[in-house]
Amino acid sequence: MSINLEQFHQTFFEESFEGLDSMESGLLNLQAGTPDADTINTIFRAAHSIKGGSGTFGFSEVAKFTHVLETLLNEMRDGRRPVAPEAVNLLLESVDCLREMLTAVRGKSPVNAARVADVQARLETLLAGAPTAAPVVAGTEPVVTAAYDGWLIRFRPKPHLFQTGNDPLRIFRELAALGELGVEADLSGLPDLESLDPEQSHLGWLLKLKGNVPQAAVEELFDWVRDDSDLSIEPITAQSMPAQRQSGDRRSGDDRRAPAAAGEGTSIRVEIGKVDALINMVGELVITQNILKQLGENFDIGRLHRLQQGLADLERNTRELQESVMRIRMLPISFAFNRVPRLVHDLSAKLGKQVELKMSGEGTELDKTVLERIVDPLVHLVRNSLDHGIESPDKRRAAGKPETGTLSLSAYHKGGNIVIEIGDDGAGLNREKILGKAQERGLVKGSDHLMDEQIYELIFLPGFSTAEVVSDVSGRGVGMDVVRKNIASLGGSVEIASEPGKGSRFTVRLPLTLAIMDGQSVAVGSEFYIVPLVSIIVSTQVKAGQINVMAGQGEVFRFRDEYLPVIRLYEVFGARPRTRELKEGLLVVVEGDGRRAGLFVDELLGQQQVVIKSLETNYRRVEGVSGATILGDGSVALILDIPGLIRIAHQKQVA
Amino acid sequence: MATILAVDDSASMRQMVTFTLKGAGHDVIEASDGMVALTAAKGKKVDLVVTDVNMPNMDGISLIRELRQLPDYKFTPILMLTTESADGKKQEGKSAGATGWIVKPFNPDQLLATIKKVLG
């Protein structure tokens, strides 16, 4: 039977990456306190599984590497080796190395051999310098076996043999398959019938196996019972033969196929409870459908009430079903948070800072796609807090603060959003430094009077960096502008609050899912548009005197203390509005990418949850539109891309 | 064909073992650790148990020891999946009552060949 092992690869990779994550968090825990047997065991088991799987599925480089890792962990587990910080750090590096290897192998690309060799060599050095001798790997040394005319086997199992599930008959059957077999039973040990325990073995055998059978093949058959029996295997005719050897490498039969085009779809693991809930819901839906069907078969107006009741049930069923289906895509944010402890550990060591990480709300769930795409911005914000926020122990002491800084990471649900907060008790944002840099870069004029909040906002402008020396921690050419852009592309926002000497806090708001959002319908003539509710600040009626036409800035209106550009939606989309008079319509003040504008519409309609349909997939990308949705009456409404619209408005002003 | 209880905490290994055994016409009961396996085994008769050794909650050795306490499992063949370097584990497993072992890494053919040895 030939089984293509590739079908199990995806599962193997998924569980291996999970295993690496748990190794990593286990190792970080080890560092934090005294070695705990359970933790070491968990780490060991993860390494052990990866080794077993990689060997089985033909990833020999991974298996070889993990073997060394496992040996080291085994010594720690058995208490033969102390859990020293250097060893833990090397193990952490090994986890990274393994992760890279597995990523490479999964992508069917070669592993970074130099890196692997380097880490492996250091593991081996550590092993060699073991306080107790490293266990020698049971060698698969090829034993030169001679073949003989046959074998004389004396075999007397101990009484308890059957209790190990073994059966001499099975062994004889296998022997008979190797050559001509003669069996002679030795009944001398047989008790009389009264004292015979049928669950015990009482017999012995003298077996003659004729044929050119290698000793190893015979020995192997008795492998499992050797310790439970008296056994001798002797050649019948001693006659030396040239040593012949068949490949003893068990792995040679394993198929490491040339890469076939393995479809690498992403899969998702769903908690069984969620699936059960879904099945339940479908059951209810079927019941409701049956009720409605019966009603429809012989309907009269007297049963209108029941029809309405049925429709109400249907609505509830559909809503619950929708929520359950959405929930399937939801994963706890711990998948993203898990990367942070390691990051904090490595970075704080590198920066010479002492940092305590506090996390909360790891179980908060959000959409898988959002989750995957929030990891990078999150990592960047954490790096930023460590690098620029928390001060060195000296500075902290001088400022009368505890030497160990605190970085807090929390997640919670609020409304239809998930909120992630990254806070530190560091120095806070440096107002003067930011302003100075912004002026130097020409981002603001020297004469501009800016509020603190506005100054903090400057760090989100493209190309902004306050680090005097571009550090290799946060200054990697990726600025906060990219962070904001990435978050905005998920339909989210990021805000800063900062207090000098006390610390800063970044608040990231994200939609729970990208497939559904809360929208505000607005009307322009006979057209409907959806404005994402998250981007709306306020809707307002324009009064005379609020509108100005400014040179170089087009039409603006005064909102609180600033002048915002007016975007006439009918102009953007070529619609025929009910009114062109600003005073007769409404201005919806919206914000996107940190910039505000007023959308001029005829009127506001209702708020509703809309299912987002991609225009790009079904048609093509349209500037100012992020998608479309189908309204209750079957008509189509475009969903506005607020940052895009604001960008267009600004471009127009420049032109 | 036979009913086989396959125990492994690694989903990919379990998948591979199950797929191989089912392909050979056996019924397979899967369990993700010793504790789950023991619960599954109680009140049921299986013809063969194939278990990993290193597992959370209850490891393979303890599972074998527990199974041997059950009247239905007194003589049931139990194979351990071990790694080549784990000679100590083999001995430990044997004294707990294991029938034999299959050395990892193994391929489906090796698995079936070994199982044939036990089931006939």
Side-chain angles (χ1 to χ4, degrees):
Chain A
M1 179 160 80
S2 171
I3 290 173
N4 182 0
L5 289 174
E6 228 170 272
Q7 60 187 307
F8 311 116
H9 284 183
Q10 173 144 354
T11 311
F12 166 71
F13 286 123
E14 276 170 19
E15 79 190 2
S16 295
F17 285 119
E18 268 170 40
L20 286 173
D21 288 348
S22 69
M23 279 176 83
E24 187 168 61
S25 65
L27 285 167
L28 290 170
N29 278 338
L30 276 186
Q31 196 127 37
T34 46
D36 155 65
D38 275 354
T39 311
I40 300 185
N41 233 329
T42 308
I43 300 169
F44 172 82
R45 217 165 35 231
H48 185 77
S49 288
I50 295 174
K51 178 183 133 180
S54 52
T56 302
F57 299 120
F59 307 122
S60 53
E61 292 149 308
V62 180
K64 239 189 269 164
F65 183 86
T66 330
H67 178 74
V68 185
L69 190 63
E70 186 200 26
T71 311
L72 188 62
L73 285 166
N74 197 24
E75 286 185 4
M76 288 181 169
R77 187 172 71 142
D78 295 350
R80 279 181 287 149
R81 174 181 289 280
V83 184
E86 317 79 79
V88 173
N89 280 334
L90 182 55
L91 286 170
L92 279 170
E93 204 180 335
S94 309
V95 168
D96 291 343
C97 184
L98 254 180
R99 202 178 269 133
E100 289 160 26
M101 287 176 95
L102 284 166
T103 308
V105 170
R106 180 170 63 179
K108 303 197 193 297
S109 51
V111 300
N112 181 347
R115 160 120 162 112
V116 173
D118 168 54
V119 179
Q120 190 167 332
R122 280 189 284 146
L123 282 171
E124 277 160 356
T125 310
L126 190 67
L127 269 175
T132 49
V136 181
V137 178
T140 39
E141 294 274 309
V143 184
V144 178
T145 46
Y148 298 92
D149 283 351
W151 301 94
L152 187 68
I153 304 159
R154 280 173 232 275
F155 175 48
R156 175 175 282 281
K158 292 183 178 156
H160 68 267
L161 179 85
F162 298 131
Q163 264 110 47
T164 68
N166 276 297
D167 185 344
L169 260 179
R170 290 203 295 259
I171 301 171
F172 301 166
R173 200 176 52 221
E174 295 291 318
L175 280 171
L178 292 174
E180 192 192 322
L181 185 71
V183 183
E184 220 176 275
D186 171 6
L187 306 178
S188 61
L190 202 63
D192 52 36
L193 198 57
E194 286 92 81
S195 52
L196 186 138
D197 177 351
E199 295 189 351
Q200 305 264 310
S201 165
H202 306 284
L203 301 178
W205 289 275
L206 184 69
L207 302 144
K208 275 185 201 140
L209 179 65
K210 281 187 193 155
N212 188 354
V213 183
Q215 182 171 3
V218 181
E219 295 271 4
E220 200 199 333
L221 290 179
F222 289 94
D223 255 3
W224 295 351
V225 296
R226 185 160 295 124
D227 293 337
D228 305 310
S229 60
D230 296 320
L231 177 73
S232 72
I233 301 172
E234 293 154 20
I236 292 178
T237 315
Q239 180 192 336
S240 280
M241 306 261 293
Q244 70 179 63
R245 171 96 191 118
Q246 64 207 40
S247 169
D249 189 354
R250 282 159 182 274
R251 264 162 289 188
S252 62
D254 214 317
D255 47 352
R256 174 141 197 209
R257 276 153 214 264
E264 206 198 299
T266 58
S267 66
I268 189 165
R269 277 223 224 164
V270 181
E271 201 192 307
I272 194 81
K274 291 182 179 175
V275 177
D276 287 346
L278 199 57
I279 291 169
N280 248 333
M281 226 96 25
V282 172
E284 281 185 37
L285 189 64
V286 170
I287 294 171
T288 308
Q289 187 250 327
N290 274 332
I291 293 173
L292 288 173
K293 189 174 161 218
Q294 275 182 12
L295 270 171
E297 270 163 10
N298 47 5
F299 186 74
D300 66 71
I301 200 68
R303 306 171 91 182
L304 181 63
H305 175 70
R306 288 186 57 191
L307 176 65
Q308 283 167 337
Q309 180 62 47
L311 289 172
D313 284 348
L314 182 65
E315 190 194 329
R316 183 178 50 83
N317 292 153
T318 314
R319 194 181 54 241
E320 285 174 357
L321 193 61
Q322 183 194 36
E323 281 167 9
S324 300
V325 172
M326 298 314 294
R327 224 166 279 146
I328 283 189
R329 283 188 58 89
M330 303 291 253
L331 289 173
I333 197 158
S334 57
F335 281 90
F337 277 13
N338 281 346
R339 291 187 44 179
V340 177
R342 176 68 190 279
L343 187 70
V344 172
H345 167 263
D346 287 1
L347 271 188
S348 52
K350 202 174 202 167
L351 296 165
K353 294 178 180 176
Q354 292 170 18
V355 182
E356 189 193 348
L357 174 67
K358 284 186 179 160
M359 296 202 288
S360 66
E362 295 101 318
T364 314
E365 291 190 326
L366 74 167
D367 186 273
K368 183 171 186 271
T369 313
V370 182
L371 182 69
E372 280 165 356
R373 285 160 60 182
I374 197 59
V375 171
D376 285 345
L378 192 64
V379 164
H380 193 92
L381 290 172
V382 169
R383 278 175 179 280
N384 197 70
S385 279
L386 286 170
D387 199 11
H388 305 309
I390 293 174
E391 316 91 323
S392 64
D394 294 347
K395 277 192 190 157
R396 290 183 66 90
R397 210 179 318 120
K401 294 203 258 186
E403 288 182 16
T404 303
T406 306
L407 181 79
S408 63
L409 194 57
S410 62
Y412 54 89
H413 283 150
K414 195 176 175 190
N417 291 305
I418 178 166
V419 182
I420 305 170
E421 289 181 351
I422 301 106
D424 65 62
D425 65 348
L429 293 180
N430 189 329
R431 192 182 181 281
E432 306 311 319
K433 214 161 157 189
I434 293 171
L435 196 56
K437 181 69 83 178
Q439 285 166 348
E440 188 188 310
R441 299 265 157 111
L443 297 168
V444 287
K445 292 187 205 81
S447 56
D448 283 353
H449 182 74
L450 296 173
M451 320 264 290
D452 283 356
E453 272 179 39
Q454 289 169 309
I455 291 171
Y456 299 153
E457 279 290 315
L458 293 173
I459 68 166
F460 289 115
L461 291 179
F464 192 92
S465 164
T466 55
E468 273 125 26
V469 183
V470 173
S471 72
D472 68 340
V473 176
S474 13
R476 285 173 197 260
V478 183
M480 295 294 278
D481 58 319
V482 177
V483 170
R484 171 164 275 182
K485 209 174 114 204
N486 288 346
I487 291 172
S489 74
L490 293 171
S493 65
V494 54
E495 281 164 28
I496 322 173
S498 182
E499 206 178 320
K502 292 265 178 71
S504 343
R505 174 172 303 273
F506 288 87
T507 306
V508 178
R509 281 192 181 75
L510 291 168
L512 286 178
T513 169
L514 298 180
I516 289 190
M517 61 158 203
D518 288 312
Q520 167 75 56
S521 336
V522 298
V524 177
S526 57
E527 300 290 328
F528 300 117
Y529 300 94
I530 306 289
V531 184
L533 215 49
V534 283
S535 58
I536 298 182
I537 296 169
V538 77
S539 301
T540 176
Q541 217 141 22
V542 186
K543 295 183 200 84
Q546 271 185 309
I547 302 291
N548 266 323
V549 178
M550 289 172 95
Q553 281 195 43
E555 203 172 21
V556 296
F557 86 106
R558 191 177 165 78
F559 174 71
R560 294 176 190 165
D561 281 329
E562 49 185 332
Y563 282 97
L564 303 180
V566 173
I567 301 172
R568 292 173 181 254
L569 272 190
Y570 68 86
E571 276 182 2
V572 178
F573 295 114
R576 194 187 287 264
R578 216 171 46 200
T579 172
R580 291 168 201 271
E581 280 297 316
L582 288 180
K583 273 173 284 180
E584 285 171 19
L586 273 176
L587 272 185
V588 183
V589 179
V590 291
E591 181 177 305
D593 272 356
R595 291 193 287 196
R596 292 174 176 183
L599 295 182
F600 178 57
V601 302
D602 287 347
E603 62 172 328
L604 292 187
L605 303 167
Q607 289 178 5
Q608 64 193 104
Q609 278 209 326
V610 296
V611 178
I612 303 168
K613 308 272 181 198
S614 162
L615 268 193
E616 268 168 88
T617 328
N618 299 311
Y619 174 51
R620 64 179 171 82
R621 186 166 164 66
V622 179
E623 193 100 53
V625 173
S626 63
T629 192
I630 297 162
L631 297 175
D633 64 358
S635 63
V636 172
L638 295 178
I639 301 167
L640 301 182
D641 167 21
I642 300 301
L645 281 174
I646 297 178
R647 205 163 42 239
I648 298 173
H650 279 265
Q651 277 162 4
K652 255 203 204 146
Q653 286 172 4
V654 173
Chain B
M1 280 275 155
T3 302
I4 302 173
L5 175 59
V7 196
D8 203 315
D9 60 325
S10 153
S12 60
M13 289 299 289
R14 212 166 58 231
Q15 256 181 27
M16 193 267 254
V17 168
T18 304
F19 187 87
T20 305
L21 297 179
K22 282 192 173 163
H26 300 294
D27 283 335
V28 182
I29 303 168
E30 292 181 61
S32 56
D33 65 43
M35 203 68 92
V36 176
L38 191 61
T39 314
K42 278 181 182 160
K44 209 174 281 147
K45 275 202 89 142
V46 306
D47 302 299
L48 170 69
V49 179
V50 180
T51 177
D52 185 27
V53 176
N54 273 297
M55 290 182 293
N57 299 324
M58 183 191 282
D59 70 3
I61 309 277
S62 310
L63 171 66
I64 295 169
R65 206 169 287 131
E66 293 287 335
L67 283 176
R68 287 289 180 228
Q69 304 296 315
L70 304 175
D72 280 344
Y73 287 83
K74 218 165 171 179
F75 307 111
T76 309
I78 306 177
L79 298 181
M80 313 182 267
L81 303 175
T82 70
T83 39
E84 70 272 36
S85 55
D87 261 352
K89 285 283 169 203
K90 282 181 198 162
Q91 292 316 316
E92 226 184 298
K94 281 297 292 181
S95 37
T99 306
W101 53 82
I102 301 171
V103 177
K104 285 198 242 182
F106 57 85
N107 65 33
D109 294 335
Q110 287 160 342
L111 174 67
L112 288 178
T114 311
I115 279 174
K116 206 167 148 236
K117 230 159 74 170
V118 180
L119 295 176

